[in-house]
Amino acid sequence: MVFISISFVIFFLVFFFFYWFVFGRNLRSQNLFVLAGSYLFYAWWDWRFLSLLIGSSLLSFLLGIHIEKATNERRRRILLYLGLLQVLGALLIFKYLDFFIVSFVDAFSIFDITTDIRTINLILPVGISFYTFRIISYLLDINSGKIKPTADWVVFFSYVSFFPSLISGPIDRAQALIPQLEKKRTFDYDQATDGMRQILWGLFKKIVVADNCVNVVDEIFDNYLNVPASSLLLGAFIYTIQVYADFSGYSDMAIGFSRLIGFNITRNFNFPFFSQNIAEYWRSWHISLTTWMTEYIFTPLSFSFRSYGRTGLILAILLNFILVGIWHGANWTFVLFGLLHGCYFIPLILRGTINTSKMTAKSKLLPSLVELRNISVTFALVVLTNIIFRAESIFQAFSYFSRMFSPSLFAGTYTYPRLLLIIALFLSVEWLGRGQQYAIAGLALSWPRTARWAFYTVVIMLIFVIGGKQHQFIYFQF
Amino acid sequence: MKQFLKRILHFTFLLLLIFMVGMILPATPRVSESILFVKNDKDSLLANVDSPRIIFLGASNLLLGLNSQIIHDSLRLNPINASLFWGIGLIYMMDNAINYIKSGDIVVVSSDYSEFYGELAYGREELLWTVLDVSPSSIMKLRSEQWLNIFRFLPSYSFSKFALTEWLFKYENAIYSRNSCNRYGDMYTHWGLAKPKLVPLKKIAGDFNSSIIDELVKFQTRLREKDSFLYITFPAYDSASFQTFKTKILEVENELKKKHFALLGTPYRYNVPDSLAFDGAGHLTKEGCDYRTRLLIEDLKVQMREKHWVY
């Protein structure tokens, strides 16, 4: 069940009604209903993997309690490792095993050694990368004493499988979501209307922007050997917009649906394309993943390497971003993608500006020239690296690059005026709304109701009239 | 909560009102010039052309893949290329054509392979536009499966009526417009044009749908009741489209054979060189149309000889 489907609309309407009007009086029954709804939502994709989700939840729930109860450090560590092993083991088997097998066979073939190991071609359970990270953070936080394990299995199971963010994030942390599940929720008019607005903007991003980009991007990337270099550059640019509109659109919808049922889940994007350096970019792109990685990977690593000074910091950043890359999928392209992003941090570390962050063009309509230069350089790095992210292999990525950086870069290009107009409109709205939680959060709020409703109506009509053909969300594959 | 629900209801009512207005507005100038409207001309051909007739029914592989003049000259039959396109769906085309069938008509169906998969044969948005704008009288004849396929396009249909571009820019496509067909119903405006980039077929969605074969069987029965005859032939695909979907293409042929349809040629025979393909799978240049038509004539002659028909 995807958010943009008739089945989900019916599901959510029924869910909303029962959630507030039937189960609203009793917290436990309301949570049970959240859990049942989440499992139905997940089973709609593939009921076979529901057992994996339930199994992981059950084991992690029990381990969480026993980690807390463990009287000695050794026992505590064994229980923690057991918990990590079961969730990471499933992730490794389903997502990375074939990649390791292929890499292993390839490595041996360099030395003319043939091996008879075959790939197993398992189907990747949808959302596994997201719920695995939720469980890991829960176990690690209990182990470090940051949180107490919940004694209510319904709360924990609902936390792991919370349907608005189950398939594609945001990756909520236990300390943010579990207290909301443990507390009675009351309907809040402002929260609900804000959620509706965010869903509307998410739909616009996904259907009007991302889905209109798909065919152009596919056409350029599938025929990259036959199109002029200028079109390849345009293709990389449009792909970058597509990924952002697709993923942030999904996140907006997830946050919006959560708000309608009284939850505030983690913000996932903060206008990353207006970042002035790569560190700022990663603080505003897929925020729930980067904060997760910072807390559980980068911080422990930089602590371990602290005696090496800046070199240690660089090493920690590189390892952290290689893992960010690998999180996206089992392909060397993702490793290189992560490594390059890690490398872009090196000048910032050397200059000591890694933590510098300021809002671009604060209280101004346009950025200064320096800000514009910084934004452009950062965006260009992101666009170029996304070629590797999109490519099927490193060879293809380099082939794309070598064709792109050729004399025909300045030749005529395939133009897509309609799409470029949509992108320009989209980026303009994003720019004007960059101080908000999402671009249209504050837009039209102060207008009279008639004007405000007219605005919403126009957005809805645009979604139906100029929306592209529906395509799957990109981040579902991760 | 009460206030929220009240406002949501009010807003939904407003949207419904706009939706209803959109539904009753006439077809926009842009749609009126589109190729959707060739259906009326084709219905007129079906109603008025004299016997002996040979009627071609299918998707764009026939619309942009036939030179009926050659058929007329070689077989001494009056050809009617009643084919429309993919998004209308084979089911609608068959249901529409059956009303015009006369005794002795030969009907040749060439459906795109993708129509045998998933629910495509029941139509997509083009069908909705056709029944609402082009041929409103056929709206009551739609089947429930067709409505299921197309009702989700109702909002885009209605709201598109409010797009200024639909009214202000009367844009006629050089190739795909209501004036693109010749007197037999073949699309011919692209015959003199430079060959654009060929885009092979990328996707055939869904599993094999055996109910489409059953529908063809029913269509054949209805034709027999009217003393007419059905042949089925295959689209002329370019090599890339053919190779990519070879397994599915052969599955279609195999399923048709199982039901003992009179088949004209084989998918392999109609696999044309890329030089004869125009802009997409099954769409042919003038030379391609001539080539495919000649193959079709050879296959028809074999079949007719077997049945001792005079031509």
Side-chain angles (χ1 to χ4, degrees):
Chain A
M1 214 188 303
V2 280
F3 288 164
I4 308 166
S5 65
I6 304 283
S7 49
F8 182 78
V9 171
I10 296 168
F11 164 81
F12 194 78
L13 284 176
V14 174
F15 184 88
F16 183 86
F17 175 81
F18 279 89
Y19 179 83
W20 288 116
F21 295 109
V22 179
F23 299 105
R25 286 185 200 145
N26 182 296
L27 179 63
R28 191 168 166 81
S29 61
Q30 201 179 39
N31 282 343
L32 258 174
F33 189 60
V34 169
L35 181 62
S38 299
Y39 283 169
L40 175 68
F41 178 81
Y42 194 74
W44 206 277
W45 288 97
D46 198 331
W47 58 270
R48 293 169 301 175
F49 293 123
L50 192 57
S51 53
L52 185 70
L53 179 64
I54 296 172
S56 286
S57 304
L58 179 64
L59 202 54
S60 307
F61 172 71
L62 295 173
L63 285 167
I65 291 170
H66 284 95
I67 288 170
E68 171 74 7
K69 279 184 185 167
T71 45
N72 66 63
E73 187 60 25
R74 190 165 167 269
R75 183 178 158 79
R76 200 182 172 94
R77 282 201 170 275
I78 289 171
L79 291 170
L80 174 69
Y81 291 150
L82 198 64
L84 296 180
L85 188 71
Q86 56 102 7
V87 280
L88 282 174
L91 186 66
L92 283 172
I93 289 170
F94 282 104
K95 192 165 177 176
Y96 300 104
L97 189 59
D98 277 350
F99 169 66
F100 289 133
I101 292 172
V102 171
S103 302
F104 183 75
V105 171
D106 287 350
F108 273 86
S109 68
I110 293 170
F111 305 104
D112 276 344
I113 302 169
T114 49
T115 50
D116 191 27
I117 309 171
R118 289 180 192 155
T119 53
I120 48 175
N121 297 320
L122 287 172
I123 303 168
L124 182 68
V126 67
I128 190 170
S129 307
F130 294 92
Y131 73 72
T132 296
F133 271 39
R134 280 188 195 180
I135 291 175
I136 292 173
S137 75
Y138 176 75
L139 295 174
L140 288 173
D141 285 355
I142 292 172
N143 183 57
S144 62
K146 279 185 199 157
I147 58 166
K148 296 273 178 206
T150 174
D152 186 343
W153 68 272
V154 178
V155 165
F156 180 73
F157 280 49
S158 302
Y159 157 69
V160 176
S161 62
F162 186 62
F163 74 86
S165 53
L166 173 60
I167 305 298
S168 215
I171 306 165
D172 287 294
R173 309 277 279 284
Q175 65 243 54
L177 195 56
I178 286 182
Q180 295 186 60
L181 282 160
E182 288 173 332
K183 198 175 69 184
K184 185 164 169 54
R185 296 170 289 275
T186 48
F187 183 84
D188 182 318
Y189 176 84
D190 290 333
Q191 188 185 28
T193 49
D194 193 49
M196 294 285 284
R197 254 195 310 277
Q198 194 155 4
I199 292 169
L200 183 64
W201 187 236
L203 285 169
F204 182 87
K205 281 180 181 177
K206 167 65 183 159
I207 300 176
V208 177
V209 183
D211 285 348
N212 271 308
C213 290
V214 176
N215 286 342
V216 172
V217 169
D218 286 353
E219 189 186 325
I220 293 174
F221 275 80
D222 291 350
N223 300 295
Y224 73 97
L225 293 172
N226 304 313
V227 297
S230 47
S231 295
L232 297 181
L233 188 60
L234 187 68
F237 164 74
I238 296 173
Y239 177 63
T240 303
I241 301 293
Q242 183 201 337
V243 177
Y244 170 65
D246 186 284
F247 190 24
S248 70
Y250 184 92
S251 296
D252 281 339
M253 284 183 257
I255 294 167
F257 286 120
S258 304
R259 304 201 79 182
L260 279 171
I261 53 172
F263 288 90
N264 281 311
I265 62 171
T266 314
R267 184 183 187 182
N268 226 8
F269 291 89
N270 185 16
F271 308 97
F273 292 157
F274 308 135
S275 305
Q276 294 195 57
N277 62 48
I278 207 72
E280 212 175 290
Y281 171 81
W282 277 103
R283 280 194 290 272
S284 49
W285 175 273
H286 202 175
I287 298 168
S288 64
L289 175 71
T290 41
T291 50
W292 194 102
M293 297 298 283
T294 304
E295 182 157 352
Y296 300 111
I297 306 290
F298 171 72
T299 307
L301 278 177
S302 54
F303 188 73
S304 305
F305 300 151
R306 67 187 181 284
S307 52
Y308 300 102
R310 282 182 177 175
T311 314
L313 195 58
I314 289 171
L315 202 58
I317 285 270
L318 290 178
L319 285 171
N320 181 64
F321 273 94
I322 287 171
L323 288 174
V324 168
I326 292 173
W327 177 89
H328 286 89
N331 195 326
W332 286 106
T333 51
F334 293 122
V335 178
L336 184 60
F337 164 83
L339 178 68
L340 280 175
H341 270 284
C343 291
Y344 300 153
F345 275 77
I346 295 173
L348 302 177
I349 295 170
L350 295 176
R351 287 208 311 257
T353 54
I354 191 167
N355 290 319
T356 312
S357 187
K358 53 185 176 187
M359 192 186 160
T360 304
K362 195 176 179 182
S363 334
K364 281 190 228 157
L365 182 64
L366 296 171
S368 67
L369 283 176
V370 176
E371 285 172 335
L372 188 65
R373 180 202 65 194
N374 293 344
I375 291 171
S376 306
V377 171
T378 309
F379 186 68
L381 287 174
V382 171
V383 168
L384 293 177
T385 319
N386 274 350
I387 293 171
I388 301 165
F389 190 80
R390 172 65 167 72
E392 279 161 23
S393 65
I394 289 181
F395 173 78
Q396 194 196 59
F398 279 97
S399 176
Y400 194 103
F401 277 123
S402 67
R403 292 193 66 81
M404 194 170 80
F405 293 113
S406 66
S408 65
L409 187 58
F410 305 101
T413 178
Y414 289 155
T415 51
Y416 305 92
R418 186 174 170 270
L419 177 62
L420 292 176
L421 194 67
I422 290 172
I423 290 174
L425 170 78
F426 166 61
L427 290 179
S428 305
V429 176
E430 287 270 302
W431 172 261
L432 294 172
R434 67 193 183 285
Q436 316 281 336
Q437 284 285 314
Y438 55 94
I440 63 162
L443 194 65
L445 270 188
S446 56
W447 299 358
R449 195 190 306 164
T450 320
R452 198 165 63 240
W453 281 21
F455 168 70
Y456 298 147
T457 307
V458 169
V459 176
I460 291 170
M461 288 167 83
L462 283 175
I463 288 170
F464 281 110
V465 177
I466 61 170
K469 238 176 203 137
Q470 198 181 328
H471 289 85
Q472 188 65 281
F473 286 95
I474 294 173
Y475 265 65
F476 280 9
Q477 62 186 299
F478 305 139
Chain B
M1 175 64 95
K2 205 173 155 189
Q3 191 191 16
F4 177 75
L5 290 179
K6 209 171 99 184
R7 293 226 170 134
I8 288 286
L9 281 175
H10 286 172
F11 187 69
T12 309
F13 178 74
L14 171 77
L15 275 182
L16 274 175
L17 200 69
I18 296 169
F19 172 79
M20 295 310 292
V21 172
M23 291 299 289
I24 55 175
L25 281 174
T28 63
R30 187 180 163 105
V31 172
S32 304
E33 288 306 316
S34 76
I35 193 165
L36 289 170
F37 275 79
V38 298
K39 181 190 175 288
N40 289 342
D41 303 334
K42 299 207 170 195
D43 283 353
S44 169
L45 289 174
L46 284 166
N48 300 317
V49 169
D50 294 331
S51 297
R53 316 195 302 173
I54 181 164
I55 298 165
F56 293 92
L57 210 58
S60 58
N61 76 80
L62 273 175
L63 189 64
L64 289 91
L66 201 65
N67 185 350
S68 297
Q69 184 64 51
I70 306 178
I71 305 246
H72 181 263
D73 297 344
S74 336
L75 296 176
R76 279 172 280 157
L77 293 169
N78 292 324
I80 303 168
N81 188 347
S83 56
L84 296 167
F85 21 77
W86 193 80
I88 303 273
L90 181 65
I91 305 297
Y92 179 82
M93 286 188 264
M94 291 194 297
D95 287 349
N96 180 60
I98 199 75
N99 301 316
Y100 299 101
I101 298 297
K102 296 178 184 173
S103 172
D105 282 351
I106 296 169
V107 179
V108 178
V109 167
S110 175
S111 176
D112 273 345
Y113 297 111
S114 48
E115 298 222 40
F116 290 93
Y117 289 85
E119 304 296 321
L120 194 61
Y122 292 101
R124 291 185 59 82
E125 57 258 66
E126 291 88 345
L127 176 60
L128 183 72
W129 260 260
T130 300
V131 294
L132 292 176
D133 283 348
V134 183
S135 182
S137 58
S138 60
I139 196 164
M140 300 310 287
K141 293 176 191 160
L142 286 192
R143 305 179 190 190
S144 54
E145 297 97 324
Q146 290 171 309
W147 275 117
L148 265 178
N149 251 18
I150 63 173
F151 85 94
R152 63 199 159 108
F153 302 112
L154 280 169
S156 29
Y157 167 81
S158 166
F159 293 148
S160 70
K161 300 278 184 69
F162 298 96
L164 285 177
T165 48
E166 292 283 319
W167 297 91
L168 297 180
F169 305 108
K170 205 173 162 185
Y171 161 81
E172 190 179 338
N173 190 303
I175 303 171
Y176 299 93
S177 91
R178 69 179 301 176
N179 303 315
S180 301
C181 293
N182 63 17
R183 63 192 177 113
Y184 300 111
D186 305 331
M187 237 171 103
Y188 74 106
T189 40
H190 68 290
W191 284 358
L193 299 177
K195 202 164 113 59
K197 194 175 141 227
L198 171 66
V199 182
L201 189 67
K202 283 182 184 160
K203 190 177 170 188
I204 293 183
D207 295 326
F208 187 81
N209 189 343
S210 57
S211 69
I212 310 305
I213 301 276
D214 298 337
E215 290 295 339
L216 277 168
V217 172
K218 282 183 207 160
F219 183 60
Q220 179 171 249
T221 311
R222 291 165 82 188
L223 287 176
R224 281 181 183 158
E225 285 165 8
K226 292 196 166 200
D227 197 23
S228 53
F229 199 82
L230 173 70
Y231 289 112
I232 295 178
T233 188
F234 302 96
Y237 271 16
D238 57 280
S239 54
S241 303
F242 188 84
Q243 285 306 323
T244 312
F245 297 103
K246 202 161 128 186
T247 315
K248 291 193 166 181
I249 288 170
L250 297 180
E251 185 182 18
V252 171
E253 185 195 19
N254 201 28
E255 294 296 325
L256 289 169
K257 275 182 179 168
K258 277 188 201 165
K259 296 285 179 183
H260 308 290
F261 285 109
L263 302 180
L264 300 174
T266 65
Y268 275 107
R269 181 168 156 79
Y270 287 95
N271 176 17
V272 297
D274 287 357
S275 58
L276 299 181
F278 186 61
D279 58 350
H283 298 186
L284 305 175
T285 59
K286 166 76 166 63
E287 294 71 28
C289 290
D290 293 352
Y291 174 78
R292 197 257 186 120
T293 307
R294 276 193 279 273
L295 291 181
L296 210 50
I297 290 169
E298 283 172 20
D299 293 333
L300 272 165
K301 281 183 175 174
V302 172
Q303 288 280 343
M304 290 163 125
R305 217 172 281 137
E306 281 175 11
K307 293 187 168 43
H308 308 292
W309 285 358
V310 180
Y311 53 86

